[in-house]
Amino acid sequence: MKKATQQQIKEHNRNLVLKTLLEHDTISRADIARSTRLTRTTVSDIVNDLIEEGLIEERGIGSSSGGKSPILLGVMEDSRYLIGLDLAQNQFSGAIVNLGGEIRETVNLPVNDVDGQTALGLVYEILDRLMDSEIRPLVGIGVGTPGLVNTSSGVVVNAVNLDWKDLPLASLLEARYRIPVRVLNDSQAAAMGEYTYGAGRDQDTNLIVVNARHGIGAGVLIDGRLFQGDGGGAGEIGHVVVVPEGGIQCRCGNYGCLETVASAQAIVNRARSLAADTTETLLPKDQRAISLDAIVDAFSAGDPLATQVVLAAGRYMGLALSSLVGILNIHNIVLTGELTRFGVPWLEAIQASMSRSTLFGLAEATRVSIGELHGNAILLGASALIWTNYSMLFNQ
Ligand SMILES: [Zn+2]
């Protein structure tokens, strides 16, 4: 192993201290030393530097366990800002977010059947507007995009809906805006968001976040770090085959993928085809008027057809999750995305089917819940890129 240089050690220690500070509202120097196992002198030096950088401040006095009461420190959450982008199916959203995960400004643009160049143009338009904001300093951009992403090179390898193939998105944006850019798959960004600011906060360091909307994907955190797999595609459960025989063809070319039976699109398609032969339903007579919104309304009103379609989708989702739980034995699963609008009954269908298909003890210990960030998991997760790269906070 290469020996770390003095500079690298210094940076590593500083990042450790900063991470500890970001995880606490307030904390004393002594407690930072305890939790990082750095010496008190090292912690004091780093803390002085961080105060000088304007990143943290002294914030009152803590309670004493004998001896002098300690001074508490806290991160100045509005001392730096990040930009997060969510390139979803029907709408691109961008937001300026502070270091505490609070959204300060947003820009949304509708997206309809775009080609690759137009999609990139919309990304520029959102970022141009956010970069024009008075909110300063903006230290980095995080992008959550559908598709397969090489996070280390910032290249979108393949995003079918956006018509992007081998697009060097990070370099393009860095050249245009002159700040660091990171690109993540949208489900992995959602996982970062829930882990950092939402349902995974204060929980175990292992977490699976399933993003269920037009497509289905999962982000997996192991020991607090995003696990991306060898090719960046870890958690691509949308294309696991759950209908082995007679399944519908998927946009990936295969048959019977999870997305063909459990995604928002699959639910809409199924409801449309069943509604054609059913008179007793609250769903609109005109098939084209059967949208996800219409199904959510009918489902909440107890419509049998909507209930049948949604719960069947939930059961397939549970089946796919059982294989993830069987492999990873992670106890905490969080669901995000549009389909969470179907709430507890959908969640229970997932849970029941997962339990049936998993070793009893494993399923018993697994907790499935709905995310806490509503529509903002991807935006916030993309902006949480500082959690993997603190150095961008220091290039002011
Ligand atoms: Zn597929």
Side-chain angles (χ1 to χ4, degrees):
M1 202 157 84
K2 255 195 354 217
K3 228 176 125 191
T5 63
Q6 206 61 31
Q7 183 60 30
Q8 282 169 329
I9 294 170
K10 232 179 123 181
E11 231 170 79
H12 173 81
N13 291 345
R14 186 194 67 194
N15 291 352
L16 259 182
V17 171
L18 200 47
K19 180 169 185 289
T20 310
L21 277 154
L22 280 161
E23 283 167 357
H24 296 80
D25 287 337
T26 57
I27 185 169
S28 69
R29 287 173 177 80
D31 284 337
I32 295 175
R34 248 189 299 279
S35 123
T36 57
R37 300 193 189 163
L38 296 171
T39 66
R40 286 203 185 206
T41 325
T42 305
V43 170
S44 273
D45 288 348
I46 294 171
V47 162
N48 288 342
D49 287 350
L50 293 177
I51 290 176
E52 207 161 293
E53 287 275 354
L55 254 173
I56 65 171
E57 63 185 350
E58 294 189 336
R59 213 176 269 170
I61 308 288
S63 57
S64 157
S65 50
K68 209 170 131 218
S69 299
I71 296 169
L72 296 177
L73 302 158
V75 172
M76 297 172 76
E77 296 182 330
D78 284 291
S79 63
R80 309 282 195 279
Y81 297 92
L82 301 145
I83 292 180
L85 239 61
D86 174 2
L87 309 184
Q89 183 75 17
N90 304 316
Q91 171 178 287
F92 285 1
S93 312
I96 295 177
V97 182
N98 79 1
L99 297 183
E102 282 162 25
I103 292 177
R104 290 284 182 255
E105 196 168 319
T106 49
V107 175
N108 299 316
L109 292 179
V111 177
N112 295 307
D113 275 335
V114 288
D115 61 40
Q117 203 51 45
T118 314
L120 187 60
L122 291 173
V123 170
Y124 288 154
E125 190 181 334
I126 290 184
L127 288 173
D128 288 353
R129 278 158 67 176
L130 291 173
M131 294 295 286
D132 261 351
S133 144
E134 317 240 294
I135 300 174
R136 287 283 183 274
L138 297 166
V139 297
I141 298 171
V143 185
T145 171
L148 189 62
V149 177
N150 181 331
T151 300
S152 56
S153 64
V155 170
V156 181
V157 179
N158 195 357
V160 179
N161 293 331
L162 300 175
D163 185 27
W164 286 347
K165 211 168 180 339
D166 296 322
L167 180 78
L169 188 58
S171 336
L172 288 170
L173 299 181
E174 275 173 0
R176 189 178 169 104
Y177 300 105
R178 310 263 161 219
I179 55 174
V181 177
R182 284 180 69 87
V183 184
L184 273 179
N185 163 272
D186 56 355
S187 305
Q188 293 173 353
M192 283 293 287
E194 288 293 342
Y195 180 78
T196 314
Y197 303 117
R201 207 184 55 240
D202 310 324
Q203 296 283 333
D204 301 344
T205 53
N206 297 330
L207 177 71
I208 295 172
V209 174
V210 178
N211 189 32
R213 45 186 193 180
H214 188 80
I216 298 172
V220 180
L221 279 125
I222 296 175
D223 284 336
R225 300 179 75 102
L226 203 53
F227 176 76
Q228 295 182 296
D230 291 334
E236 279 289 342
I237 57 165
H239 302 282
V240 167
V241 173
V242 291
V243 187
E245 278 171 54
I248 304 167
Q249 187 167 27
C250 178
R251 61 192 170 102
C252 75
N254 256 339
Y255 290 83
C257 294
L258 182 64
E259 278 192 9
T260 65
V261 285
S263 65
Q265 194 58 52
I267 288 176
V268 171
N269 291 346
R270 184 83 182 130
R272 282 180 182 168
S273 82
L274 290 182
D277 305 321
T278 314
T279 43
E280 284 169 37
T281 176
L282 299 169
L283 289 167
K285 292 282 161 278
D286 176 8
Q287 276 197 39
R288 282 163 307 175
I290 300 180
S291 60
L292 193 70
D293 286 340
I295 300 170
V296 170
D297 288 345
F299 183 76
S300 322
D303 179 62
L305 191 126
T307 305
Q308 178 197 337
V309 170
V310 170
L311 297 189
R315 285 193 291 272
Y316 280 117
M317 179 75 91
L319 189 62
L321 288 186
S322 69
S323 59
L324 265 186
V325 170
I327 293 164
L328 296 169
N329 188 19
I330 289 178
H331 285 171
N332 199 4
I333 299 181
V334 172
L335 302 160
T336 64
E338 265 180 313
L339 291 195
T340 58
R341 293 168 69 193
F342 292 111
V344 174
W346 174 72
L347 184 77
E348 284 174 351
I350 294 174
Q351 220 154 8
S353 125
M354 196 185 80
S355 302
R356 268 199 307 278
S357 335
T358 318
L359 208 60
F360 178 73
L362 287 182
E364 195 75 338
T366 305
R367 200 172 69 93
V368 186
S369 60
I370 288 179
E372 291 174 3
L373 302 179
H374 308 291
N376 294 327
I378 294 171
L379 273 182
L380 290 173
S383 81
L385 75 172
I386 52 151
W387 295 85
T388 48
N389 183 4
Y390 293 107
S391 63
M392 66 177 67
L393 297 176
F394 297 93
N395 301 323
Q396 297 315 303

